[in-house]
């Protein structure tokens, strides 16, 4: 075992020998103690102790651990006699068994101050250097090294200002190094201030400074004290530069390190608290996720990705920013119902019964759903159709989707697309973004826990488009049966099968849907309700709902059919039933007030009661009874909220034959007016009109409700009738409405939206309608009970129109 210097930072050594206890200072009691060989008798021959990794200087006290047998014997022998030994450094500190040639030639004679036997068999010796010596020869190698020496006398320097300045600089440099080095105790500065002997100060600093063994040995071998002090100054300046650089780096990173250490200690404390409470929450969560994954049915690709995410979580500390990102992604993978589907109910009679119970009418859609279920029942599996319900507001498109889900036994989820303008809402965001989320499609699938729900894409015609992308283009993949089996969500970062989802889109205006998207969907038109349909809907659904909503469920009173029809005809003008629902709610509130105040209500409501509750009728059919002056005709229009009635007014005034159009008309409607006027000019004599009139009179055509934009070709025959009435002075037949496009040749062409227009005419109280003969098939699709009392005139030419309208 090699001798090793025990690193000591304190100025005291606490010793506990067997015989007594004593407190021994690290410094000699006097600075000059042992500095001069004349003060103590140094034998010419001394036991030698090789030191592996330190150099002993005169006057300095150090403890050493003696482990080699030779060194132990030498120490024991010297301790019994004069306690003097010679201490030499090894040339190579790695040599375990040094030979005489492995020792340096200049060493320090030392006195053994204390000898301590250690429990492990080793010996600790506290020695104090006395003077330097030169080894002349090794006289014995067994049982320990002995050598013949020559002591080297230190020169005493007096009255040398340069030397004094050097010593002062050594004090200052040492003090600066102590101040910059956090590992050196502040007591070291006090020691330096109390050392008055210049020679000992040099030796003390040399012994304690951070320098190589060879550099310290070189200082010891330097005979001249001035030269030795100058060499020491160079070494201290180098150490000071290193300490300053180290302190600069430490100061630069201290703030960050302190913050990291603080967070680390807080995390460790938090971890300990969590363990005391039953384990780390994050670890338990990861374990729970792994257990759930074992029982989950999912594709191999999803399973592999989840495994990778869990491995990342186990390697990451919960405080790292990426931990929550990886955790949320793994949680999404685990929550998605990859291969989890609900079993469809193939009972067609039950499905039809459910559909009929929830919605009155809508036979076309109900038949389509029953057909889908029939094929699914026979084949067992098929790609779900992409249906699109198009119709005016308030007719039950969205609620029909829920009814379909109930009929076939699937889960229902609704996705509102109105005002959506970011493509990422459909496809999801990249998970590396702050606040990233999966797209709404995947979110809804995750919510319902089923891979084959009925998903309503509500208001698909109102999807926006801006610089952030076009969501309707993103929907192309979702609503394409050939592609949606591999729908890619940016957040999920893998494909998901949407082919089992029954998508049902709803829209008010099919022309607002992107053509490519429209081509992928099966369009099913939903028309507005007739009065009789609204009556049945009110009796079956609206009135019971409002009675329950207003606390009148158990209170008996009757609202007769005539009263309900009165509300429909005089207080609403709509294709759907939302306004009717609001009017019925007003009636129920009035009934609830009466019952709360009087404790009873009328057994049945009359029209007079309705007028008291709702006020005077808002709409009247009297305006259609007769046209007060020539030039006024009634047209039928289609809007996205359903059918409507349109007045067209024509007035002649003296002028040069100019045509003026007002009423916020679109280009197509303006062209229809020009076409009608040109037709009249070309056929003036047949119609009994003086051709010169067209040159003398200005024509002004106006369509009331000028704030509402109007366009389309369907008002062609209405404008023709209005102009013909104005030029001939003959009034248009009362209670007559018309719709159709005209050509310059006088042909009448078919137009769209016939059912909405016919039902609007019926609601308005019209009795006769003029339509193109090709629209007769559209009228036949309407339930005959809904149009009872309407007379239809099917025409092919403009001449036939005028014959009917002006008769």
């Amino acid at each position: 075992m090699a001798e090793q210097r025990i690193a000591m930072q304190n100025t005291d050594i606490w010793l506990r020998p067997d015989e007594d206890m004593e407190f021994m200072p690290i410094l000699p009691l006097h600075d000059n103690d042992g500095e001069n060989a004349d003060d103590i008798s140094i034998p010419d021959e001394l036991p030698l102790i090789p030191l592996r990794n330190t150099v002993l200087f005169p006057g300095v006290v150090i403890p050493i651990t003696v482990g080699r047998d030779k060194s132990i014997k030498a120490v024991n022998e010297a301790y019994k006699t004069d306690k003097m030994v010679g201490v030499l450094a090894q040339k190579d500190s790695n040599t375990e068994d040094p030979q005489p040639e492995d020792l340096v030639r200049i060493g320090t004679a030392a006195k053994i101050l204390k000898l301590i036997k250690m429990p492990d068999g080793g010996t600790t010796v506290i020695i104090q250097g006395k003077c330097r010596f030169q080894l002349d020869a090794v006289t014995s190698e067994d049982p320990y090294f002995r050598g013949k020496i020559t002591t080297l006398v230190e020169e005493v320097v007096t009255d040398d200002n340069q030397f004094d300045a050097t010593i002062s600089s050594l004090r200052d440099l040492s003090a600066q190094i102590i101040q910059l080095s956090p590992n050196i105790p502040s007591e070291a500065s006090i020691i330096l201030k109390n050392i008055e002997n210049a020679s000992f100060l040099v030796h003390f600093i040399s012994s304690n400074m951070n320098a190589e063994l060879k550099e310290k040995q070189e200082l010891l071998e330097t005979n001249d004290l001035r030269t030795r002090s100058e060499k020491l100054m160079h070494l201290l300046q180098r150490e000071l530069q290193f300490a300053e650089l180290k302190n600069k780096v430490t100061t630069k990173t201290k703030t960050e390190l302190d913050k990291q250490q603080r967070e680390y200690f807080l995390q460790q404390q938090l971890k300990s608290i969590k363990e005391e409470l039953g384990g780390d929450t994050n670890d338990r969560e990861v374990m729970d996720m792994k257990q759930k994954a074992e029982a989950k049915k999912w594709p191999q690709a999803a399973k592999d990705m989840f495994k990778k995410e869990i491995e990342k979580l186990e390697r990451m500390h919960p405080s790292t920013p990426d931990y929550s990102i990886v955790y949320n992604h793994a949680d999404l993978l685990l929550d998605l119902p990859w291969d989890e589907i609900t079993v469809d109910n193939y009972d067609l009679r039950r499905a039809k019964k459910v559909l009929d119970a929830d919605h009155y009418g809508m036979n076309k859609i109900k038949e389509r759903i029953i057909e889908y279920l029939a094929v699914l029942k026979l084949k067992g599996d098929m790609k779900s159709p992409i249906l699109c319900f198009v119709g005016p507001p308030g007719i039950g498109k969205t609620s029909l989707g829920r009814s379909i889900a109930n009929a076939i036994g699937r889960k229902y989820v609704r996705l509102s697309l109105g005002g959506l303008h970011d493509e990422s809402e459909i496809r999801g965001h990249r998970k590396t973004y702050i606040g990233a989320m999966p797209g709404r499609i995947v979110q809804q699938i995750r919510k319902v826990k089923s891979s084959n729900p009925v998903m309503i894409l509500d208001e698909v015609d109102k999807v926006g488009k801006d610089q952030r992308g076009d969501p309707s283009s993103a929907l192309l993949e979702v609503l394409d049966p050939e592609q949606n089996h591999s729908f890619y969500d940016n957040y999920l970062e893998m494909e998901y099968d949407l082919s089992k989802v029954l998508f049902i889109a709803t829209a008010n205006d099919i022309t607002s849907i992107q053509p490519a998207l429209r081509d992928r969907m099966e369009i099913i038109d939903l028309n507005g309700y007739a009065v009789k349909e609204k009556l049945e809907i009110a009796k079956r659904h609206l009135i019971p709902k409002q009675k329950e909503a207003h606390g009148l469920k158990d209170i008996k009173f009757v609202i007769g059919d005539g009263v309900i029809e009165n509300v429909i005809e005089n207080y609403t003008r709509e294709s759907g039933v939302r306004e009717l629902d609001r009017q019925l709610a007003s009636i129920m509130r009035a009934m609830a007030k009466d019952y709360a105040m009087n404790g009873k209500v009328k057994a049945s409501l009359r029209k007079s009661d309705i007028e008291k509750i709702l006020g005077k009728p808002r709409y009247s059919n009297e305006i259609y009874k007769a046209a007060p002056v020539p030039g006024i005709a009634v047209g039928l229009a289609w809007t996205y909220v359903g059918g409507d009635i349109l007045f067209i007014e024509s007035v002649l005034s003296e002028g040069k034959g100019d045509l003026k159009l007002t009423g916020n008309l679109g280009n197509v409607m303006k062209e229809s007016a020009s076409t009608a006027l040109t037709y009249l000019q070309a056929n003036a004599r047949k119609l009994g009109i003086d051709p010169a009139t067209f040159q003398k009179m200005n024509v002004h055509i106006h369509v009331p409700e000028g704030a509402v934009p109007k366009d389309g070709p369907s008002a062609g025959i209405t404008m023709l009738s209005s102009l013909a009435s104005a030029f001939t002075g003959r009034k248009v037949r009362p209670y007559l409405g018309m719709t159709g496009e005209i050509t310059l040749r006088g042909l009448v062409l078919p137009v769209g939206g016939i059912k909405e227009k016919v039902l609007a005419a019926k609601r308005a109280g019209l009795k006769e309608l003029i339509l193109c003969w090709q629209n007769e098939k559209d009228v036949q699709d309407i339930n005959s009970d809904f149009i009872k009392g309407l007379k239809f005139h099917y025409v092919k030419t403009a001449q036939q129109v005028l014959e009917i309208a002006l008769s």
Side-chain angles (χ1 to χ4, degrees), residues 416-430:
S416 179
L417 300 178
L420 196 71
H421 50 71
D422 191 349
E423 179 190 355
S424 298
E425 294 286 343
I426 303 297
R427 292 188 179 277
H429 303 78
R430 303 282 179 190

Side-chain angles (χ1 to χ4, degrees), residues 422-696:
D422 191 349
E423 179 190 355
S424 298
E425 294 286 343
I426 303 297
R427 292 188 179 277
H429 303 78
R430 303 282 179 190
K431 68 179 182 181
T432 52
Y433 295 155
I434 295 175
M437 294 187 299
R440 292 195 185 185
I441 302 289
V442 172
Q443 286 185 48
Q444 298 295 347
I445 294 289
R446 179 185 191 180
K447 178 181 177 181
V448 297
K449 301 291 185 184
S450 172
S451 286
N452 66 335
V454 174
M455 183 174 290
I456 301 296
L457 303 178
D458 214 5
E459 311 293 356
V460 72
D461 58 327
K462 298 176 182 61
V463 173
K465 179 180 180 182
D466 60 13
Q467 72 278 3
R468 283 171 286 187
D470 182 7
S472 61
S473 297
L475 285 171
L476 294 177
E477 181 183 3
V478 176
L479 300 180
D480 190 342
E482 300 299 325
Q483 298 182 38
N484 62 9
H485 66 278
S486 58
F487 171 70
Y488 186 86
D489 185 273
N490 292 327
Y491 184 89
L492 186 60
E493 291 187 340
M494 66 180 304
E495 296 176 346
Y496 192 88
D497 184 6
L498 297 178
S499 62
K500 298 182 181 65
V501 179
L502 176 55
F503 288 104
I504 298 177
T506 69
N508 298 130
D509 185 6
I510 193 172
T511 60
S512 302
I513 303 175
Q514 188 188 75
L517 182 60
R518 189 166 63 236
D519 182 61
R520 283 166 165 77
M521 299 186 292
E522 181 181 341
I523 307 297
I524 299 179
D525 290 314
L526 293 180
N527 301 310
Y529 295 119
V531 174
K532 288 192 176 181
E533 287 180 304
K534 291 183 180 181
L535 175 62
E536 290 298 326
I537 292 171
K539 290 164 60 178
R540 297 185 186 188
H541 303 287
L542 302 183
I543 292 177
K545 181 185 77 171
Q546 292 298 342
K547 286 182 69 175
E548 184 174 357
H550 292 84
L552 302 172
K553 184 178 180 180
D554 298 327
I555 299 172
K556 304 261 178 147
F557 62 92
V558 177
I559 303 178
D561 292 359
V563 175
I564 298 174
E565 286 186 7
N566 179 48
V567 174
I568 294 171
E569 293 177 349
N570 296 328
Y571 294 92
T572 67
R573 276 288 188 273
E574 59 177 346
S575 295
V577 291
R578 283 198 181 128
E579 183 63 25
L580 174 60
D581 194 32
R582 285 190 283 268
Q583 298 300 334
L584 291 174
S586 299
I587 295 171
M588 295 302 166
R589 287 194 297 271
M591 300 296 288
K593 183 187 72 171
D594 289 344
Y595 187 80
M597 295 178 67
N598 304 321
K600 61 180 180 178
V601 295
K602 288 185 177 181
S604 63
L605 292 179
R606 299 178 181 179
K607 292 182 181 180
S608 58
D609 298 321
I610 298 300
E611 190 168 326
K612 290 179 182 178
I613 297 171
L614 301 180
K616 293 291 183 181
R618 298 182 183 180
Y619 306 98
S620 174
N621 297 333
E622 296 299 317
I623 58 175
Y624 308 111
K625 282 186 177 179
V629 294
I632 299 177
V634 180
L636 304 177
W638 181 91
T639 67
Y640 76 94
V641 296
D644 202 359
I645 300 302
L646 202 65
F647 281 93
I648 295 180
E649 304 172 347
S650 298
V651 174
L652 304 180
S653 60
E654 292 185 3
K656 298 180 182 180
D658 296 333
L659 174 62
K660 185 177 182 181
L661 301 170
T662 57
N664 202 354
L665 309 183
N667 291 331
V668 177
M669 204 165 184
K670 290 177 180 179
E671 291 171 358
S672 295
S674 298
T675 303
L677 182 59
T678 303
Y679 175 81
L680 286 179
Q681 291 172 343
N683 298 274
R685 295 190 185 277
K686 293 182 182 179
L687 300 174
I689 304 172
D690 183 4
T693 307
F694 294 102
Q695 304 299 323
K696 299 175 183 178

Side-chain angles (χ1 to χ4, degrees), residues 631-637 646-650 669 672-673 676 701 703 713-725 732 736-742 770 801-802 805:
I632 299 177
V634 180
L636 304 177
L646 202 65
F647 281 93
I648 295 180
E649 304 172 347
S650 298
M669 204 165 184
S672 295
I701 300 178
V703 182
S714 62
I717 64 173
T718 313
M719 288 186 170
L720 175 64
S721 299
S722 176
L723 287 171
S725 174
V732 176
L736 174 68
M738 59 193 77
T739 182
E741 181 180 356
I742 63 168
I770 300 176
V801 173
L802 296 178

